Amino acid sequence: MIDTEKYILGIETSCDDTAAAVVDVNGRVLSSVIASQSDIHVKYGGVFPDLASRAHTLAIVPTIREAVSQAGVDRDHLAAIGVTRGPGLIGSLLVGLNAAAGLGMAWDIPVIGINHLRGHLRSADLEERRITFPAIVLLVSGGHTFLALCESDSDISLIGSTRDDSVGEAYDKVARMLGLGYPGGPVIDKLAREGTPCIKFPRPLLGKNLDFSFSGLKTAVARYISSSDRLIKSDVASSFVAACLDVLVSKCRQAILTHPAASLVVVGGVAASLQLRSALSELCDELNIELCLPPVRWSTDNAAMISLATWDYIKSEKHPELQPQVRLPISEF
Ligand code: KG4
Ligand code: ZN
């Protein structure tokens, strides 16, 4: 018997953000606290796994304490704790899983291991129900890039995925090559709007199937940068973003035309890109399909999305073991 009057405490530590949140059964967010580690990783131009685990260990207790206190709840108000069990960095996942297991034992409430990718999918329904099924989901993050077909919250099948790098990784690597810091996505997205897309970079796998590939594009940008004597960073950013958007929009078009759906859902950190948002909005207007975009604050990693996904697990009685999984496809719970 599910007590829908209660709340879920969500915990997320799969990569470089320590996050905790309290959410009700309708996706109302009572609190969402994120301790970012960008300051630590900025000098490496990417996430340094060992430092990420250490920083999670320091931040996990204060972050959970703050989320519970901001929400004004105590253990009696919680139906369960949901914690990311994968995919992610092993050392980072273990910190969240151990904290959740300890807290569950102390408070005598169930702890459920959650698939981070299902969390991203549910980010689209935080605060209000936005997804209409069947839906085509484009997930674009630092760790993943794929297209999935969702018949319901729990019936999800992959229809295309990246053969090498994720698009977020390509944004971060290009930012690093241009000396723009980490995470690179927001900086590249902004700089691109100041330049012109005058450099012809490749559009890998364009017009082929629904799979993606971004490593060749990344290499082409690296080659251009090392051979150019008058580098205009904004033009490089603009041309790189134009290539990424061409690929993402064209694959979404192809997916919509081959898998009739009621909505296109776009989630994950790169969904924070204003340029991607407007390009997909044009596409959906043209093809007459609903576009579901969570607000930018829910696109990047957070624990509210993990809390909301936990309700799906409870409803469908899925309680995977609290085993960390470095790799975990979205089709699995
Ligand atoms: O979903 P997320 O927070 O973490 C993962 O699960 O990977 O995604 C992080 C990725 C990073 O690669 C970051 O550079 C990118 O999302 N990102 C953006 C923007 N904000 C974050 N990419 C493009 N434009 C943005 N505004
Ligand atoms: Zn993520």
Side-chain angles (χ1 to χ4, degrees), residues 12 14-15 17 87 116-117 120 139-144 268-269 299-302 305:
E12 155 64 40
S14 64
C15 189
D17 290 305
H116 178 81
L117 303 174
H120 271 302
L139 189 148
V140 274
S141 73
H144 299 86
S299 298
T300 44
D301 283 351
N302 64 82
M305 66 187 198

